[in-house]
Amino acid sequence: KQASCVQYRLVVRDANTLQILQLYTCLDQIQHLEWSADSLFILCALYKRGLVQVWSLEQPEWHCKIDEGSAGLVASCWSPDGRHILNTTEFHLRITVWSLCTKSVSYIKYPKACQQGITFTRDGRYLALAERRDCRDYVSIFVCSDWQLLRHFDTDTQDLAGIEWAPNGCVLAVWDSCLEYKVLLYSLDGRLLSAFCAYEWSLGIKSVAWSPSSQFLAIGSYDGKVRILNHVTWKMITEFGHPATVNNTKIVVYKEAEKSPPLGHLAFPPPRAATGPLTSSESKYEIASMPVSLQTLKPAADRANPRIGVGALAFSPDNYFLATRNDSVPNAVWIWDIRKLRLLAVLEQLCTVRAFQWGPQQPRLAICTGGSKVYLWSPAGCVSVQVPGEGDFQVLSLCWHPSGDSLALLSKDHFCLCFLEMEKGVRMAFGQRGDCT
Amino acid sequence: MGDWMTVTDPESKTLSQYTSETKMSPSSLYSQQVLCSSIPLSKNVHSYFSAFCTEENIEQSISYLDQELTTFGFPSLYEESKGKETKRELNIVAVLNCMNELLVLQRKNLLAQENVETQNLKLGSDMDHLQNCYAKLKEQLETSRREMIGLQERDRQLQCKNRNLHQLLKNEKDEVQKLQNIIASRATQYNHDMKRKEREYNKLKERLHQLVMNKKDKKIAMEVLNYVGRADGKRGSWRTGKTEARNEDEMYKILLNDYEYRQKQILMENAELKKVLQQMKKEMISLLSPQKQKPRERADDSTGTVISDVEEDAGELSRESIWDLSCETVREQLTNSIRKQWRILKSHVEKLDNQVSKVHLEGFNDEDVISRQDHEQETEKLELEIQQCKEMIKTQQQLLQQQLATACDDDTTSLLRDCYLLEEKERLKEEWSLFKEQKKNFEKERRSFTEAAIRLGLERKAFEEERASWLKQQFLNMTTFDHQNSENVKLFSAFSGSSDRDTPTLHSRSRQKKPHGVPSGSPVCTSKLTKSLPASPSTSDFCQTRSCASEHSSSINVLNITPEETKPNQVGRECTNQKWSMSSRPGSQEGCYSGCSLAYTNSHVEKDDLP
């Protein structure tokens, strides 16, 4: 099922046929939309009004409205059981936990305003929350079933930037803000398992990712390197640098190239097709010969948040691959082989890589660059797919269907679904447009 | 010079003219003599000459000549006079003789002159040449001096530059230091300011919180059509002490499950590794047994152990099923036997290598000249051997220690331990004797090498000294080993050939955990762990051991929590009571707000009132 919203309307469609299943009307413009884990409810946050509206798929007449009143609302999310909603008030004064099944409400004070301050274990049992009180960072672990505090401990961080549970739910990674390179690993019962610091003085961690097996913790930092820690000793196994030149015949470098139209096609007067969208020029991948030098961006040293360092990291669901993006080489995606701990392939796009996501079932990486194409990589090779339809469809972000068979592509005000069929290749179903937020 | 030459040339010509004229007038001869001797050179010699002797002054001139000649040492031109007053007669013969002599003299003189002239010329040219040379050399000297000055100047400049650069470097270093200090001070300042700001911010937040939350904001509400059931179908339970305990239990259960899962994985890995070891051992035995059947010249030292090993292994192989039960003892046997075999294999390979190298050497060189390379190779090998023996001894020590550490309080186990010790000692002795034998062998080899390579005696001496010192150290180590209680590190290195410390923790952990299956295993393990905890000296290992130990304590008996751990938990738990206020809605909203307005800090105060 697929939900989209148009201004103040919420549209639920079938993910295969794109038929409209439900239509809900909210009070104001929807700014955030989230499915509950059991897909029975949809949460629509209207931050401007401090309102959250919840709709049920099973009972269309059922509705729920939560008003945060003058406290305001900046974030809203589901708890993993799909029966509680966590609302963060303005200025991070507190987090309110509303229950859909009992008339209870709980408050959590002092949540920290940071990059990733709230994280649930994958089994939905525990919630870890970053807190800040008396100029010190704390982490509280709550039991999600009754929202009881299980553990509360302070972390040895200057300015905590994020927390993340390992997928097995037993280890919590805590990292400091970019001013200091520091990763702390805590057990579920609040013991400090290990601390890791790669270097001092310069800017530190930019991104962190757990491998799905909880075996590795990949840390991308501002020095353009990814460091991988193991789960036994919590020490570094390896370090992946992102050099601007690749000179190793074992590494495959895919270079996206514009497919120039055949010369005979350029007839005078130009045919009508040519007057159409210019952006529909096709592209393909070429395997570049070694050595390859990648386009690098010279970072402005005098600006805050410089475009350097590893800004995005993602493990494939089978643990075999790690995709990274170095922000100073914005057009390239590096794919590393985790079994051999070495670089496997580099994809150099024509435009800046906006987002990438691994397919949930198979090691397939979907990449979008803000153009009208979507790119897919798998160990067998890679392909660039043009989004059909007239007009400029700028793929700004993408999202896999849990089955891994289809892919939702989002532009500024349209979306479409891309179906992957093994025999025929890629079929693109252009969804009925809707304004997406 | 040239001018001089041209001047002299005509003169010599005229001279030769004179000399060629054999018959020459006496006057001219005379004039020549005069010319040479006293009378200054005049342009008109002849005219002068003609004026010298005339008809009138013959007598005078004769007397003059006589006088002159006698003064030069010639006999008198006059005859010896008998009487004083008698006029002396001119003696013609004397005159002629005199003239002849003069002529001879003249010729001689001319010859000498000529010689002198040529010599002069020669010397002149020589001098010319030398002068040229001199000039040239002078020039050269000048240029080199100039060059030298230039170089000196450049040197000076470079030195100057160097000094400047040094200064710059120093300055830069200072600058770096200064900047670092600045960064540090700024960071502290920044942190301080941040803290101040944050405090203010917190105050504001608090205020805002009070303002926003205290106001009976009717807006804050949830409108819901009807409450839905929980996802798991259960009803919400009351929050009591029981639920807290249950939560704790559940948390530990999860942790325990995780550790069990990991242990299982590690066990599996271990089993696989063991299988590989077994395989290796089998292959080694099969590889080494044919060698034993055709013993070589050194069969006496190696085959005995091989045979015993093989026998032992045969026994071991038959009870392969024991492997999974008690790895402790089997592991030792396995590792020991593998080590032995490996050593044998290695020595065999080395022997083969030696033979090959000898053959190689014989092919190329004289037999008694051993190349330095070979010698070095040999010493390297010896060193390697020593290293190996060292490692072996170390591991044995560790095993011994481990067994000591795993001592139980049971009588039977102590007995067992005793027998283990004896066994271990025997094994050590065995190893030691083997080692000694090997040493002897090497001594022999070395002797042969020394005979062959006298020139390398010095090196050998040094090596021997080193070895002696090593032996000493070895003995020292043997005595002091028990006190070096870096048990963890040793544990790791004992069971993995590599020095990598990270991976072996798996094995060690699994091994520590293994006895859990055995009923009497758990107390053993805990006692060991508690022992190992204070024993670990290095801070880097401390973390590991601590985590390891605590993992065990948590996995073995959940209730055994250290007091430091429980304290904050209790505080946290008590806090929750305050923090998590429940309220039924919408009727009792006020109750809810009064409950929620309780600050976290208050809870600490109120905690004391709670039973």
Side-chain angles (χ1 to χ4, degrees):
Chain A
K1 280 166 188 170
Q2 165 111 29
S4 76
C5 49
V6 186
Q7 293 286 335
Y8 53 89
R9 280 192 309 174
L10 172 70
V11 186
V12 180
R13 295 170 192 272
D14 188 278
N16 284 319
T17 57
L18 288 170
Q19 264 180 339
I20 296 175
L21 298 176
Q22 290 292 346
L23 220 141
Y24 304 100
T25 311
C26 290
L27 289 167
D28 204 344
Q29 193 169 339
I30 299 165
Q31 280 167 295
H32 176 71
L33 170 74
E34 193 176 329
W35 281 93
S36 71
D38 53 6
S39 299
L40 293 176
F41 299 99
I42 300 171
L43 172 158
C44 301
L46 304 85
Y47 293 139
K48 275 186 199 159
R49 284 206 164 192
L51 266 180
V52 170
Q53 283 195 297
V54 188
W55 304 101
S56 166
L57 266 288
E58 283 180 328
Q59 301 164 272
E61 71 280 5
W62 186 91
H63 67 86
C64 172
K65 192 181 91 183
I66 300 165
D67 196 338
E68 283 290 342
S70 49
L73 182 66
V74 290
S76 180
C77 68
W78 282 104
S79 83
D81 64 356
R83 295 294 180 272
H84 293 83
I85 291 163
L86 280 77
N87 284 345
T88 309
T89 60
E90 243 172 329
F91 307 111
H92 286 79
L93 281 176
R94 66 180 185 191
I95 288 176
T96 324
V97 185
W98 301 92
S99 172
L100 294 185
C101 36
T102 58
K103 295 173 193 170
S104 72
V105 63
S106 306
Y107 297 101
I108 306 171
K109 264 188 88 176
Y110 307 109
K112 177 160 183 166
C114 61
Q115 184 192 334
Q116 194 177 347
I118 184 162
T119 173
F120 292 97
T121 54
R122 198 149 295 186
D123 59 2
R125 242 186 247 260
Y126 299 106
L127 156 73
L129 182 77
E131 297 179 4
R132 183 86 175 174
R133 51 180 77 170
D134 304 329
C135 304
R136 295 208 55 162
D137 290 316
Y138 293 86
V139 168
S140 290
I141 297 172
F142 296 97
V143 182
C144 289
S145 57
D146 53 3
W147 303 104
Q148 260 186 318
L149 183 68
L150 185 70
R151 283 287 184 274
H152 178 78
F153 51 88
D154 64 329
T155 61
D156 185 23
T157 46
Q158 282 287 323
D159 179 20
L160 188 149
I163 52 175
E164 170 104 54
W165 282 108
N168 66 5
C170 290
V171 184
L172 179 72
V174 175
W175 61 97
D176 215 331
S177 71
C178 65
L179 292 176
E180 205 162 340
Y181 195 114
K182 195 174 214 175
V183 180
L184 300 162
L185 292 146
Y186 288 94
S187 168
L188 178 60
D189 53 355
R191 280 179 301 118
L192 176 67
L193 294 175
S194 179
F196 177 72
C197 172
Y199 54 85
E200 280 175 276
W201 297 111
S202 75
L203 290 177
I205 296 166
K206 198 163 190 184
S207 50
V208 171
W210 282 97
S211 80
S213 64
S214 311
Q215 216 175 344
F216 304 111
L217 179 67
I219 305 161
S221 55
Y222 278 92
D223 63 345
K225 279 178 180 161
V226 172
R227 289 174 179 82
I228 293 188
L229 309 186
N230 71 337
H231 76 308
V232 179
T233 59
W234 301 112
K235 283 185 181 137
M236 194 174 73
I237 298 177
T238 188
E239 201 178 79
F240 293 150
H242 291 73
T245 52
V246 179
N247 194 0
N248 186 341
T249 47
K250 279 184 178 172
I251 300 163
V252 186
V253 177
Y254 296 101
K255 237 182 167 115
E256 190 195 355
E258 290 276 348
K259 206 186 264 176
S260 54
L263 278 167
H265 212 276
L266 280 172
F268 183 85
R272 256 195 301 158
T275 57
L278 274 166
T279 50
S280 68
S281 58
E282 298 208 337
S283 77
K284 61 174 183 193
Y285 278 111
E286 282 170 355
I287 292 172
S289 56
M290 295 296 148
V292 182
S293 57
L294 306 166
Q295 268 190 352
T296 51
L297 213 71
K298 228 178 181 179
D302 53 344
R303 291 261 188 88
N305 297 320
R307 294 192 64 169
I308 50 168
V310 179
L313 285 173
F315 277 98
S316 69
D318 57 1
N319 285 311
Y320 289 166
F321 305 103
L322 171 69
T324 61
R325 188 192 67 209
N326 187 2
D327 292 347
S328 62
V329 190
N331 292 6
V333 175
W334 274 263
I335 293 160
W336 308 83
D337 190 339
I338 294 298
R339 282 175 297 182
K340 291 171 186 156
L341 292 173
R342 65 173 185 84
L343 186 59
L344 187 71
V346 179
L347 273 68
E348 194 181 19
Q349 310 296 135
L350 288 170
C351 307
T352 308
V353 175
R354 289 292 184 107
F356 53 80
Q357 197 182 14
W358 286 98
Q361 304 294 335
Q362 282 165 294
R364 280 194 293 222
L365 185 72
I367 303 163
C368 63
T369 61
S372 62
K373 285 180 245 2
V374 65
Y375 309 92
L376 291 164
W377 178 90
S378 77
C382 55
V383 67
S384 112
V385 184
Q386 175 77 35
V387 176
E390 68 270 33
D392 196 6
F393 190 96
Q394 290 180 329
V395 186
L396 295 177
S397 69
L398 38 79
C399 177
W400 282 91
H401 189 269
S403 71
D405 294 335
S406 57
L407 185 67
L409 310 174
L410 308 178
S411 82
K412 209 173 160 196
D413 45 22
H414 298 82
F415 81 92
C416 78
L417 274 182
C418 166
F419 295 94
L420 299 150
E421 285 168 4
M422 279 342 278
E423 284 89 35
K424 294 173 200 161
V426 182
R427 178 169 67 89
M428 200 66 82
F430 198 63
Q432 198 179 342
R433 277 138 225 232
D435 287 312
C436 296
T437 50
Chain B
M1 195 78 212
D3 295 5
W4 195 67
M5 281 286 277
T6 49
V7 170
T8 46
D9 262 353
E11 203 174 0
S12 64
K13 227 185 257 170
T14 51
L15 281 173
S16 62
Q17 265 178 356
Y18 296 139
T19 47
S20 61
E21 285 173 46
T22 45
K23 285 177 184 172
M24 215 192 288
S25 60
S27 64
S28 72
L29 265 173
Y30 180 70
S31 77
Q32 203 66 39
Q33 275 216 317
V34 167
L35 202 143
C36 289
S37 59
S38 62
I39 301 157
L41 196 73
S42 64
K43 300 237 160 121
N44 40 7
V45 186
H46 290 278
S47 58
Y48 173 75
F49 188 68
S50 56
F52 174 65
C53 187
T54 47
E55 292 294 317
E56 301 93 61
N57 62 354
I58 286 175
E59 280 299 310
Q60 285 151 340
S61 57
I62 284 172
S63 69
Y64 175 76
L65 281 175
D66 177 54
Q67 255 178 357
E68 288 286 310
L69 283 168
T70 44
T71 53
F72 277 113
F74 286 100
S76 177
L77 294 178
Y78 298 107
E79 275 180 44
E80 288 295 314
S81 57
K82 272 95 185 178
K84 289 254 183 217
E85 57 279 352
T86 52
K87 205 187 171 244
R88 289 192 298 177
E89 290 270 326
L90 188 75
N91 192 350
I92 305 292
V93 178
V95 167
L96 285 175
N97 275 341
C98 222
M99 269 172 65
N100 187 43
E101 232 168 292
L102 276 171
L103 276 172
V104 166
L105 209 73
Q106 165 75 10
R107 210 164 292 152
K108 229 189 259 171
N109 276 343
L110 277 174
L111 213 70
Q113 200 190 0
E114 212 169 333
N115 276 348
V116 164
E117 293 277 329
T118 51
Q119 210 165 352
N120 196 15
L121 266 177
K122 233 186 256 168
L123 284 171
S125 67
D126 269 3
M127 183 144 124
D128 199 21
H129 176 69
L130 283 173
Q131 250 167 352
N132 259 343
C133 275
Y134 172 72
K136 239 183 252 171
L137 284 171
K138 209 171 170 182
E139 227 168 80
Q140 229 172 334
L141 184 75
E142 198 59 38
T143 52
S144 53
R145 195 171 284 160
R146 232 176 286 137
E147 229 170 84
M148 201 172 77
I149 287 167
L151 285 173
Q152 266 174 348
E153 178 61 25
R154 238 173 61 195
D155 187 44
R156 202 184 55 79
Q157 276 175 357
L158 284 174
Q159 263 176 355
C160 228
K161 222 172 169 181
N162 194 17
R163 224 171 293 137
N164 284 345
L165 284 173
H166 266 296
Q167 191 60 40
L168 272 174
L169 185 70
K170 214 173 138 193
N171 287 349
E172 288 299 315
K173 268 184 186 165
D174 287 350
E175 191 74 8
V176 165
Q177 192 61 43
K178 217 164 71 186
L179 284 173
Q180 251 169 3
N181 286 341
I182 287 171
I183 288 172
S185 66
R186 276 183 166 233
T188 49
Q189 184 63 39
Y190 168 78
N191 282 341
H192 180 79
D193 285 357
M194 277 294 277
K195 261 186 192 154
R196 213 189 59 216
K197 290 249 168 72
E198 203 174 325
R199 265 190 217 114
E200 275 171 30
Y201 171 65
N202 280 346
K203 245 185 258 169
L204 280 172
K205 246 172 137 177
E206 201 68 36
R207 191 70 192 279
L208 183 70
H209 193 259
Q210 277 175 0
L211 283 173
V212 171
M213 306 303 165
N214 281 353
K215 197 167 59 182
K216 311 269 184 276
D217 195 349
K218 290 276 189 278
K219 267 179 89 184
I220 299 180
M222 182 167 84
E223 291 167 20
V224 63
L225 196 72
N226 60 307
Y227 291 107
V228 292
R230 293 171 72 94
D232 50 5
K234 277 187 240 163
R235 291 188 58 196
S237 53
W238 289 104
R239 206 171 302 178
T240 54
K242 241 190 207 166
T243 56
E244 266 175 48
R246 209 191 57 218
N247 282 337
E248 287 277 308
D249 276 3
E250 222 149 85
M251 181 192 82
Y252 283 120
K253 220 182 265 171
I254 285 170
L255 279 178
L256 208 81
N257 277 341
D258 179 51
Y259 284 125
E260 262 172 15
Y261 172 70
R262 265 158 84 171
Q263 191 208 357
K264 225 175 263 170
Q265 276 191 325
I266 284 160
L267 273 180
M268 252 153 67
E269 204 178 313
N270 237 0
E272 222 141 275
L273 285 173
K274 251 186 259 169
K275 236 184 257 169
V276 169
L277 263 182
Q278 185 91 25
Q279 181 85 20
M280 210 163 97
K281 196 169 116 184
K282 269 187 208 161
E283 275 170 19
M284 264 192 194
I285 289 165
S286 62
L287 195 79
L288 285 170
S289 45
Q291 185 214 341
K292 173 193 71 190
Q293 279 155 9
K294 36 174 182 173
R296 288 163 195 274
E297 66 275 351
R298 281 207 300 165
D300 50 323
D301 57 354
S302 60
T303 39
T305 52
V306 171
I307 288 165
S308 68
D309 258 341
V310 169
E311 279 165 4
E312 196 184 36
D313 293 336
E316 240 172 68
L317 290 172
S318 65
R319 48 190 169 110
E320 210 173 302
S321 53
I322 303 168
W323 284 73
D324 300 324
L325 296 175
S326 61
C327 66
E328 194 86 9
T329 48
V330 178
R331 185 182 58 213
E332 265 168 54
Q333 283 173 359
L334 182 68
T335 45
N336 277 344
S337 64
I338 286 232
R339 248 180 223 127
K340 266 183 207 161
Q341 261 141 26
W342 174 245
R343 224 173 27 247
I344 291 159
L345 186 74
K346 210 183 160 189
S347 67
H348 177 61
V349 169
E350 270 169 23
K351 218 162 44 184
L352 286 176
D353 259 8
N354 274 357
Q355 280 171 356
V356 166
S357 67
K358 260 181 200 164
V359 167
H360 204 65
L361 216 73
E362 277 163 21
F364 288 103
N365 293 353
D366 288 338
E367 239 192 298
D368 48 357
V369 180
I370 290 159
S371 74
R372 191 194 171 87
Q373 213 176 5
D374 279 14
H375 182 78
E376 270 168 5
Q377 266 177 5
E378 196 61 27
T379 51
E380 243 169 60
K381 265 178 216 160
L382 284 168
E383 259 165 10
L384 234 149
E385 189 79 15
I386 286 167
Q387 192 66 36
Q388 216 184 342
C389 291
K390 225 185 198 171
E391 262 172 36
M392 202 174 68
I393 287 164
K394 213 184 252 179
T395 50
Q396 276 171 349
Q397 205 108 32
Q398 279 158 17
L399 289 169
L400 199 76
Q401 227 174 3
Q402 212 189 349
Q403 280 199 328
L404 278 170
T406 53
C408 308
D409 37 5
D410 276 338
D411 288 358
T412 48
T413 44
S414 70
L415 261 172
L416 253 172
R417 184 190 60 177
D418 272 352
C419 81
Y420 274 142
L421 268 171
L422 277 173
E423 232 177 273
E424 198 59 36
K425 265 181 198 164
E426 265 175 16
R427 203 164 289 140
L428 263 172
K429 258 183 212 164
E430 222 179 283
E431 293 287 347
W432 187 244
S433 64
L434 200 104
F435 172 52
K436 268 192 178 157
E437 266 171 13
Q438 279 180 341
K439 207 172 67 184
K440 233 183 263 168
N441 276 323
F442 283 120
E443 201 90 37
K444 261 189 230 165
E445 269 181 63
R446 187 180 303 161
R447 223 171 291 144
S448 69
F449 269 104
T450 32
E451 277 164 18
I454 308 152
R455 60 201 166 93
L456 294 170
L458 272 170
E459 277 176 33
R460 171 130 335 146
K461 211 187 272 174
F463 173 68
E464 227 135 39
E465 268 169 25
E466 199 182 298
R467 203 171 57 84
S469 72
W470 173 76
L471 271 172
K472 209 199 282 168
Q473 213 187 328
Q474 182 59 39
F475 278 112
L476 280 171
N477 278 352
M478 276 184 77
T479 51
T480 54
F481 217 74
D482 302 53
H483 306 294
Q484 298 174 3
N485 37 18
S486 55
E487 194 183 319
N488 281 293
V489 186
K490 268 182 262 154
L491 265 174
F492 301 155
S493 57
F495 303 112
S496 67
S498 67
S499 59
D500 187 17
R501 247 197 253 159
D502 292 2
T503 43
T505 46
L506 302 170
H507 309 275
S508 67
R509 260 188 214 169
S510 78
R511 274 176 197 123
Q512 283 172 349
K513 277 193 176 183
K514 254 199 174 161
H516 296 178
V518 188
S520 63
S522 50
V524 178
C525 198
T526 42
S527 66
K528 193 169 77 185
L529 283 163
T530 44
K531 255 185 200 172
S532 73
L533 191 58
S536 61
S538 60
T539 47
S540 63
D541 288 312
F542 182 70
C543 229
Q544 241 173 30
T545 43
R546 209 192 73 153
S547 65
C548 186
S550 47
E551 273 161 29
H552 277 279
S553 64
S554 62
S555 61
I556 291 153
N557 41 0
V558 180
L559 296 171
N560 186 15
I561 307 161
T562 50
E564 304 101 77
E565 265 180 13
T566 47
K567 245 184 217 166
N569 297 348
Q570 279 169 353
V571 172
R573 246 176 274 147
E574 274 155 11
C575 291
T576 49
N577 287 339
Q578 298 299 320
K579 203 166 165 187
W580 296 98
S581 59
M582 283 170 68
S583 63
S584 51
R585 184 198 280 283
S588 63
Q589 263 186 2
E590 282 184 26
C592 147
Y593 295 130
S594 65
C596 71
S597 63
L598 272 173
Y600 181 75
T601 45
N602 291 341
S603 68
H604 287 284
V605 185
E606 286 175 12
K607 184 186 73 188
D608 298 333
D609 302 334
L610 290 167

